[in-house]
Amino acid sequence: MTIQSSPGSSSYLPGSSGYLGMFPERRMSYFSNSYVIGLTVAAGIGGLLFGYDTGVISGALLYIKDEFEEVNQSSFLQETIVSMALVGAIIGAAAGGWINDAYGRKKATLLADVVFAAGAVVMAAAPDPYVLILGRLFVGLGVGIASVTAPVYIAEASPSEVRGGLVSTNVLMITGGQFLSYLVNLAFTEVPGTWRWMLGVAGVPAVVQFCIMLCLPESPRWLFMKNDKAKAIVILSKIYDIARLEDEIENLSVAEEEERQKKNDVRISDVFKSKEMRLAFLAGAGLQAFQQFTGINTVMYYSPTIVQMAGFSSNRLALLLSLIIAALNAAGTVLGIYFIDHFGRKKLALSSLTGVIASLVILAGAFFGRSSGSSNELFGWIAILGLALYIAFFSPGMGPVPWTVNSEIYPEQYRGICGGMSATVNWVSNLIVAQTFLSVAEAVGTGWTFVILAGIAVLAVVFVTVFVPETMGLTFVEVEQIWKERAWGSSYNNESLLERGNDS
């Protein structure tokens, strides 16, 4: 039996990209729709909050120790002030998936803004370290919810051919927030109440995003799946032309019909009962874990310390070099926005990891050279070169790829809860790395610590090669087909098409 496929047909084969397969000249470019760009930038302010908070505390802590003697005398309190935001982010990410599925992406964003702004006010007004720690917890909760919500909101409002670049814009906002935090740290060094301004000013973008989001729509995919089709189609009509709109509605109808045949209420245990979902979650969560365990936030949190370890004792020089590293991180993410929709997620991740491995080997060699007793300044500059190369290779690839892939590999019914679970994996991994780097470096030496990170990056290459599919340019329906074929074999798609053909 021969099955005829049309651009709007639900039997359109994965990889053909439906309407785009028939009319490739009508593919959208990154800047072709100002409405989509506006939604992306507004949602991406959540990424700015994420990045700013991870970067600002390193400078603020210096002045917090000056004001509170008990903090200066207690390493435990210092670690708690830093890590409590990560604890909050873990909780926020875990709860954020459920909030997204139950109440929508827009309400989740608004909640994140309220919690984050409240945390910023509490931190700025903290009379003692313990209230400050409470404020850090609130800020972390907001960051955790935002880290789940922003990529999903952007992905669901994005045409498939530019989805990677648009989701990567959120990562650009993260790295831009980190760079901004370094600038703010420098700007407020001579201002009375230094650390209070550093931490309190974080509430401003949260308030701005809250006001903007009140005027923006809910995710069209979420509305469609919640049976509010009229509103969803109005939003989609602002994103696609008429012919493309019909194709997108058809894809959504197919996805809705599949979801209707499943249970409405998804629990965490359901993710592990389905073979397709286990494979999807393994790929998504694995990417998030490897993003952290290959050392990125070690570099971002401890770059001044690493620079000093390399022999540059001046605090000012260390901070300036760290600022350059943060700028490289943001610039690399801009490249990633272009590469991710032109070279693909998988190729970009593999090339990024290859460069990361080489950079970590250079870093290890520099520190081995210094530990041998040599006073040659060349090893210090080699370490700086290794740090710069690490960021240059990491930021265009392993920076945006995990967030992009996690925003597009899960079915609608599971997207919130799986996105939340994988973001939780990211934050837990982040916490582990941040809390152990200096201890491991003390125990085995900085050189061997970078060798360990390079070994983990090699494992990451194997993982990406085996478990992560290429999703560039595919619709959400086509991505679902990938997992079904991986779970049940390539015959699954042909059997599914025959069944649909017979039904018609």
Side-chain angles (χ1 to χ4, degrees):
M1 175 181 177
T2 303
I3 299 172
Q4 299 296 324
S5 297
S6 64
S9 171
S10 61
S11 64
Y12 219 52
L13 289 170
S16 62
S17 297
Y19 174 83
L20 292 179
M22 297 291 290
F23 306 106
E25 73 279 1
R26 297 186 185 179
R27 291 171 63 90
M28 289 190 185
S29 65
Y30 184 88
F31 293 106
S32 64
N33 190 314
S34 59
Y35 181 73
V36 175
I37 291 292
L39 295 179
T40 299
V41 173
I45 296 175
L48 185 75
L49 302 177
F50 180 167
Y52 183 87
D53 184 70
T54 59
V56 74
I57 193 62
S58 60
L61 190 61
L62 299 174
Y63 299 94
I64 292 169
K65 289 191 293 183
D66 289 341
E67 181 164 337
F68 299 122
E69 183 60 28
E70 56 196 304
V71 175
N72 191 43
Q73 298 296 324
S74 172
S75 296
F76 175 76
L77 272 179
Q78 294 174 35
E79 290 172 349
T80 303
I81 289 169
V82 173
S83 63
M84 190 53 67
L86 295 176
V87 173
I90 291 168
I91 299 169
W98 174 80
I99 294 168
N100 268 266
D101 284 340
Y103 299 104
R105 299 17 170 164
K106 180 176 178 176
K107 288 180 181 176
T109 301
L110 293 172
L111 176 62
D113 289 331
V114 170
V115 175
F116 191 97
V121 172
V122 170
M123 289 190 301
D128 58 58
Y130 306 100
V131 175
L132 174 60
I133 289 168
L134 178 64
R136 294 287 294 161
L137 178 65
F138 283 156
V139 164
L141 287 169
V143 167
I145 297 170
S147 71
V148 177
T149 308
V152 172
Y153 183 89
I154 294 169
E156 292 184 342
S158 300
S160 58
E161 64 271 29
V162 291
R163 187 172 59 229
L166 290 169
V167 174
S168 296
T169 302
N170 184 60
V171 182
L172 174 62
M173 299 291 270
I174 295 172
T175 56
Q178 290 171 335
F179 180 71
L180 178 64
S181 72
Y182 283 96
L183 291 177
V184 169
N185 281 349
L186 289 173
F188 284 113
T189 52
E190 303 299 327
V191 177
T194 302
W195 64 268
R196 297 182 186 276
W197 284 104
M198 290 177 178
L199 300 179
V201 76
V204 174
V207 173
V208 170
Q209 186 182 43
F210 183 90
C211 295
I212 294 173
M213 286 302 296
L214 288 174
C215 304
L216 294 181
E218 179 55 81
S219 157
R221 289 189 67 89
W222 187 86
L223 288 171
F224 200 96
M225 294 303 177
K226 294 297 181 180
N227 214 28
D228 199 346
K229 295 182 176 60
K231 284 185 182 178
I233 291 171
V234 169
I235 299 165
L236 289 169
S237 68
K238 297 178 181 179
I239 300 172
Y240 304 106
D241 61 30
I242 294 299
R244 177 79 178 273
L245 176 63
E246 292 176 0
D247 195 55
E248 293 299 323
I249 293 172
E250 177 69 22
N251 284 333
L252 282 170
S253 298
V254 171
E256 183 191 30
E257 181 59 32
E258 291 185 358
E259 298 299 343
R260 187 179 288 122
Q261 296 171 8
K262 303 172 185 176
K263 293 185 296 183
N264 289 327
D265 297 324
V266 176
R267 295 184 295 270
I268 290 175
S269 59
D270 294 329
V271 175
F272 302 101
K273 291 176 182 176
S274 163
K275 190 174 182 181
E276 303 103 281
M277 291 312 306
R278 287 199 301 271
L279 290 171
F281 180 68
L282 174 64
L287 276 173
Q288 294 285 33
F290 278 118
Q291 184 192 64
Q292 294 302 322
F293 284 120
T294 49
I296 179 57
N297 278 318
T298 294
V299 171
M300 296 312 298
Y301 289 146
Y302 296 112
S303 54
T305 306
I306 294 170
V307 168
Q308 289 183 334
M309 285 178 176
F312 299 94
S313 57
S314 165
N315 286 342
R316 183 172 179 79
L317 179 59
L319 284 171
L320 286 173
L321 289 172
S322 299
L323 184 65
I324 293 170
I325 289 168
L328 279 173
N329 196 20
T333 308
V334 174
L335 289 177
I337 290 173
Y338 174 81
F339 289 149
I340 201 163
D341 281 321
H342 288 79
F343 298 102
R345 287 71 157 136
K346 189 168 185 172
K347 287 180 182 177
L348 189 55
L350 290 173
S351 59
S352 175
L353 285 166
T354 302
V356 162
I357 292 166
S359 306
L360 289 169
V361 169
I362 291 171
L363 272 167
F367 281 97
F368 282 137
R370 282 195 57 79
S371 64
S372 66
S374 172
S375 59
N376 193 335
E377 288 186 2
L378 176 63
F379 289 116
W381 287 108
I382 291 175
I384 299 300
L385 174 65
L387 275 178
L389 287 174
Y390 176 95
I391 290 296
F393 281 110
F394 185 97
S395 56
M398 281 302 287
V401 167
W403 295 105
T404 300
V405 169
N406 272 279
S407 72
E408 61 191 5
I409 60 173
Y410 307 118
E412 176 69 29
Q413 189 182 25
Y414 289 88
R415 193 166 298 134
I417 194 168
C418 287
M421 289 165 62
S422 63
T424 302
V425 169
N426 185 290
W427 284 110
V428 170
S429 304
N430 186 339
L431 180 61
I432 292 170
V433 172
Q435 290 293 103
T436 59
F437 173 73
L438 293 179
S439 299
V440 172
E442 266 184 38
V444 302
T446 311
W448 280 110
T449 302
F450 285 119
V451 169
I452 293 169
L453 293 175
I456 294 172
V458 171
L459 294 177
V461 168
V462 176
F463 177 86
V464 172
T465 302
V466 175
F467 293 108
V468 179
E470 182 53 71
T471 56
M472 180 179 69
L474 300 182
T475 66
F476 288 116
V477 172
E478 290 168 344
V479 175
E480 284 187 50
Q481 287 292 337
I482 291 176
W483 299 119
K484 289 172 181 174
E485 290 182 11
R486 287 195 171 202
W488 309 111
S490 58
S491 62
Y492 176 89
N493 189 57
N494 293 330
E495 291 172 2
S496 176
L497 288 176
L498 285 171
E499 287 174 7
R500 290 177 183 170
N502 291 329
D503 290 342
S504 63

